[in-house]
Structure formats: C-alpha cells, structure tokens
Amino acid sequence: MPKVGMEPVRRKALVDAALRAIGHHGSLTVTMSDIAREAGVSAALAHHYFGSKEQLLIETIRSLLRQLRADTVSALRAAATPAERLSAIIRVSFQADQFAADTIAAWLAFYVEAQRSDLVRRLLVIYARRLRSNLLADLRTLCPGDDAGRIAEGAAAMIDGLYIRQSLRSAPLGIEASVALVEDYVQGQLARCRPSP
C-alpha cells in the first residue's frame, strides 16, 4: 500500500528526473524506463502516476512554466521602478535553475516537439506571450507603444537566442554575461526612443 502523501513527492521526482534524462539525451527520445531509472523508481510506478511518457513530458513543461512564473512574480514584487522590473524579468530568465544545461536541453527539445504537438506548441506560446506581456508592461511606461513592442520582441528573441547559444556549448556565456547582454540591448534601444533633452 502506498504511503499517504507520497504522490506529490514522487510526481515531482519524476518531473525532475525527466528534465535530467532529456538533458542527458538531448532530445525527447527518452523512455519512461529511462526517466524512472533516473528517479530511482520502477517504470510501472512512473506509468501509475502519469499514464504515459507524453503526459509526463507535458507536466515537465508545465512545471518549468510554473516555476518561471513564480520566480517572475516574486522578482517583480521586489522591484520598485519600471527599469528595475525590466531588469528583474531579464534576470529571472537566466536564473541558475532555468539556465542549467539539462533545463536548456529540455527547453530546446520542447521547441522541437512543438513542431509536432499542438499541446506543446500552446504551452510554449503561453510562455512567449507571458514574457512579451511582462516586458511590455514596463517598456510602455518608458517609451512609445510601437517602440515598446519592438524592444520587447528584440529582448525576447535575445533571451531565446542565448538559450540556443548556451546549448551549443562552443562559446557559452555565463548568467551574468547573458543578463548584461540583454540589458545592454534594452537600455540602448530605450536611449534611442527617448527624446533628447
């Protein structure tokens, strides 16, 4: 008989194991057995909690998105000005848990899967819209709407591009260098759209 209260613990362990397994394989070709082995449980138990590998992978994406959202909300609460809020959004995108090699590999694998799976595509569109919305909320207070939209798109593209570059591991940038690169872009664009004194 399973121990009471173990389900959330085991489900989280399986999601974490899925991230690691995807990171090691570099793709979603991992099996439920690979993930279960990584979590230290049986494949039957993994199937019991998630039903299928696809359901576990969807929960893994949702888990990444929930964590990113919670981190963003927390960082935005601590920021006082629009500039601080922009910086917080950028910094959260490169936090150590999100910018870890296994997590980056998982994000890229999910982007590939989005070409085949409507559900994965919808989840990644939610991420992209949320990032754009968060950036726009403060950019609109600092520059005209058209410029704000352009800068938000550029910053989001840089964030995604830095994840791709990091996955190549040929010339990886650290967290601080990645944050600085995106912040430099945003500040440069803001300086161009502000009227001269």
Side-chain angles (χ1 to χ4, degrees):
M1 177 174 220
K3 293 180 184 177
V4 176
M6 284 304 292
E7 181 175 351
V9 173
R10 287 206 173 121
R11 287 177 67 86
K12 177 159 183 5
L14 284 161
V15 166
D16 293 344
L19 273 175
R20 289 190 306 274
I22 294 165
H24 298 323
H25 283 79
S27 74
L28 299 183
T29 59
V30 296
T31 65
M32 207 56 151
S33 294
D34 295 330
I35 296 168
R37 192 176 315 110
E38 185 75 34
V41 300
S42 69
L45 191 62
H47 281 283
H48 169 75
Y49 285 122
F50 288 99
S52 70
K53 181 180 96 168
E54 289 71 28
Q55 289 173 330
L56 175 53
L57 295 177
I58 292 300
E59 180 54 29
T60 303
I61 297 171
R62 287 184 171 137
S63 175
L64 284 171
L65 291 172
R66 278 193 303 270
Q67 186 61 54
L68 186 59
R69 182 180 183 279
D71 292 345
T72 301
V73 167
S74 177
L76 289 175
R77 283 187 183 139
T81 67
E84 287 176 3
R85 290 171 58 84
L86 282 171
S87 183
I89 294 163
I90 293 165
R91 186 161 292 284
V92 163
S93 296
F94 297 105
Q95 284 187 156
D97 57 340
Q98 289 289 334
F99 211 50
D102 289 348
T103 308
I104 290 170
W107 276 112
L108 294 179
F110 294 139
Y111 271 96
V112 170
E113 183 64 17
Q115 306 308 304
R116 295 183 289 276
S117 166
D118 288 339
L119 182 53
V120 173
R121 185 178 314 111
R122 279 195 302 270
L123 290 170
L124 293 175
V125 166
I126 288 169
Y127 153 74
R129 286 182 181 159
R130 192 178 290 159
L131 176 59
R132 185 176 194 279
S133 174
N134 286 334
L135 291 166
L136 270 175
D138 293 297
L139 284 167
R140 284 185 175 138
T141 68
L142 300 171
C143 63
D146 289 345
D147 288 331
R150 179 181 49 76
I151 296 168
E153 288 299 328
M158 284 189 77
I159 290 167
D160 290 344
L162 286 165
Y163 269 72
I164 293 169
R165 289 243 176 125
Q166 191 72 6
S167 74
L168 299 175
R169 297 186 185 132
S170 59
L173 287 174
I175 291 170
E176 292 304 319
S178 298
V179 169
L181 201 59
V182 179
E183 286 189 343
D184 286 349
Y185 165 78
V186 169
Q187 292 308 314
Q189 293 299 308
L190 284 172
R192 288 178 55 199
C193 74
R194 288 186 191 124
S196 300

